[in-house]
Amino acid sequence: MDTSMLRTPLIAQTVEALVEDGGGLITYEQGMGGRETLVAAAAALAARNGSPLIIVESPLLHQDTRATVAELQPGVQCTVISAQDAALQPTPAPGSVLAVHADMLRDPTVREPLLKLARATDHLLVARHDYSDPTLDTLAGPTHRLDYPAFTSAANKDFTSWAEPFTSTYVPLPIEQREGRTARQEAAVDDLIGFTEFVERKQRLNKQLNQRTTDRPPPDNDEYIDLVDVEAGSPTDLDGLATAIEASPPAELDWLAAEEERITAFVARL
């Protein structure tokens, strides 16, 4: 048996309710721990009452059942019998607890002895699948259902109650008041100013490149030296300059030739 299932919220609540009621019926879907719930509740009830416990189960599960009871309630006097042994049992002692899995009723020859034993017991617990024999249902008492929807609901409820004390009450500051925002804004403004100045300078240099004038630039004009904007694809290039040289008057050839050398040297440095 998988006793770890007893820690799940639904099964733990069911065991507690069965003990409180002094018995009851467990209906369960496959894999929902019906046998574990039956044994745990019966052992807890017997321990609370200080009474002996009889469990009717398949012989294949006798050893496992005894070990589970010894693990959960070491002080309980537990007897595990098969359905065929029910007819050999004496009348249960007052206050005794009987746990039966309804699968034991499949054999017609043991039905009557089991019913007789169940009627004589003060505290009866029965577990069955949806498809098992319901004969013992009316003798068992309150019904407890173990299925997947109930399992999920109990788990969610338990998690919510566990997590509630840890729910955060932190309310973040408005974005305008958060630490470091002013510094980030100032840095963004500085970047924008620098970018704007860069764009304006490019526009000014492009305007100078496109300007057709006979005026001579001053020899110390550094901005005019950096006129070629290769990345932007300036309309002024060496081919255009060669065309201008061929169409220019002789008086301007010297200046244009010098200018061609300056631009060629600048491009080589890029």
Side-chain angles (χ1 to χ4, degrees), residues 4 10 26 30 58 60 62 69-70 85 90 125-126 133 149 171 177 188 193 195 204 209 234 239 241 245 254 262 264:
S4 65
L10 177 61
I26 307 162
Q30 189 69 30
S58 168
L60 296 176
H62 283 189
V69 173
D85 294 335
L125 294 94
V126 178
D133 191 317
V171 178
Q177 301 178 15
I193 292 174
F195 179 74
R204 185 166 63 253
L209 283 169
S234 173
D239 292 338
L241 183 60
I245 291 173
D254 294 340
R262 292 157 67 93
T264 300

Side-chain angles (χ1 to χ4, degrees), residues 162-179:
W162 174 83
E164 188 173 7
F166 302 95
T167 302
S168 175
T169 58
Y170 170 74
V171 178
L173 293 173
I175 193 169
E176 297 81 4
Q177 301 178 15
R178 295 182 186 177
E179 183 180 355

Side-chain angles (χ1 to χ4, degrees), residues 35-57:
R35 275 189 163 87
E36 289 84 353
T37 305
L38 173 68
V39 172
L45 180 59
R48 188 193 70 174
N49 296 343
S51 56
L53 169 62
I54 301 174
I55 299 177
V56 182
E57 187 55 279

Side-chain angles (χ1 to χ4, degrees), residues 75-90:
V76 170
Q77 178 187 346
C78 177
T79 303
V80 183
I81 63 175
S82 64
Q84 289 75 14
D85 294 335
L88 305 176
Q89 293 296 310

Side-chain angles (χ1 to χ4, degrees), residues 146-199:
L146 302 179
D147 56 20
Y148 291 103
F151 181 87
T152 303
S153 176
N156 290 340
K157 183 178 180 181
D158 184 71
F159 176 78
T160 300
S161 62
W162 174 83
E164 188 173 7
F166 302 95
T167 302
S168 175
T169 58
Y170 170 74
V171 178
L173 293 173
I175 193 169
E176 297 81 4
Q177 301 178 15
R178 295 182 186 177
E179 183 180 355
R181 177 171 175 80
T182 302
R184 291 195 299 271
Q185 287 178 327
E186 292 175 353
V189 171
D190 292 342
D191 292 341
L192 179 59
I193 292 174
F195 179 74
T196 303
E197 292 177 350
F198 172 72
V199 171

